[in-house]
């Protein structure tokens, strides 16, 4: 067993599961989506992205691209949250929460693609 692959897989799957936890709930209800969970999702996705830099294969490039997409979506969600709460002063309206959750949904889709690719890579390994 390769400890590096274990850590790599751990962070990819953790990214997906945390993102799913944030995403689940009524799309426009702020009580169903916690800001600290969004922060945790963003941090874990950044760590997963950093771990993907070492892979020089074609599959590694696609994995890195999916991570960039997820991080971009999550940073956008965090910026929207920060904007509506701290800058515009409108607060977490149902429309703002729906935008934030939709952006995290895009990141979740990118994380699903990463996990599927990880599974495909694992199945294709020769023994």
């Amino acid at each position: 067993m390769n400890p590096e692959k274990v850590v790599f897989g751990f962070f990819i799957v953790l990214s997906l599961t945390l993102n799913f936890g944030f995403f689940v709930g009524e799309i426009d209800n702020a009580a169903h989506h916690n800001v600290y969970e969004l922060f945790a999702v963003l941090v874990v996705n950044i760590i997963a992205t950093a771990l993907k830099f070492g892979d020089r294969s074609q599959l590694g490039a696609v994995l890195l691209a999916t991570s960039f997409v997820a991080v971009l979506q999550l940073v956008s969600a965090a910026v929207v949250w920060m904007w509506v709460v701290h800058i515009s002063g409108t607060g977490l309206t149902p429309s703002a929460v729906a935008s934030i959750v939709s952006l995290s949904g895009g990141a979740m889709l990118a994380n699903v693609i990463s996990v599927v690719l990880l599974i495909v890579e694992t199945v294709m390994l020769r023994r």
Side-chain angles (χ1 to χ4, degrees):
M1 177 176 7
N2 184 345
E4 182 181 309
K5 294 277 187 189
V6 172
V7 171
F8 180 72
F10 170 79
F11 277 100
I12 290 177
V13 173
L14 184 61
S15 297
L16 175 59
T17 57
L18 283 173
N19 202 340
F20 181 76
F22 178 79
F23 183 77
V24 170
E26 292 180 25
I27 194 166
D28 61 347
N29 188 341
H32 294 179
H33 311 283
N34 189 303
V35 68
Y36 297 113
E37 193 168 12
L38 177 61
F39 177 74
V41 171
L42 180 57
V43 168
V44 170
N45 269 278
I46 290 170
I47 292 169
T49 301
L51 291 173
K52 293 175 185 175
F53 272 108
D55 192 352
R56 301 270 183 225
S57 67
Q58 178 63 31
L59 187 59
V62 175
L63 282 168
L64 186 59
T66 60
S67 281
F68 283 150
V69 169
V71 169
L72 179 64
Q73 294 273 342
L74 292 169
V75 166
S76 299
V79 167
V80 169
W81 195 309
M82 181 190 66
W83 180 267
V84 299
V85 171
H86 299 291
I87 297 172
S88 74
T90 60
L92 285 175
T93 63
S95 174
V97 174
S99 294
I100 293 163
V101 174
S102 294
L103 287 165
S104 79
M108 187 172 68
L109 183 58
N111 285 330
V112 166
I113 293 168
S114 286
V115 169
V116 168
L117 290 174
L118 178 67
I119 292 168
V120 167
E121 181 183 36
T122 303
V123 169
M124 292 178 63
L125 287 177
R126 295 183 187 189
R127 297 182 186 249

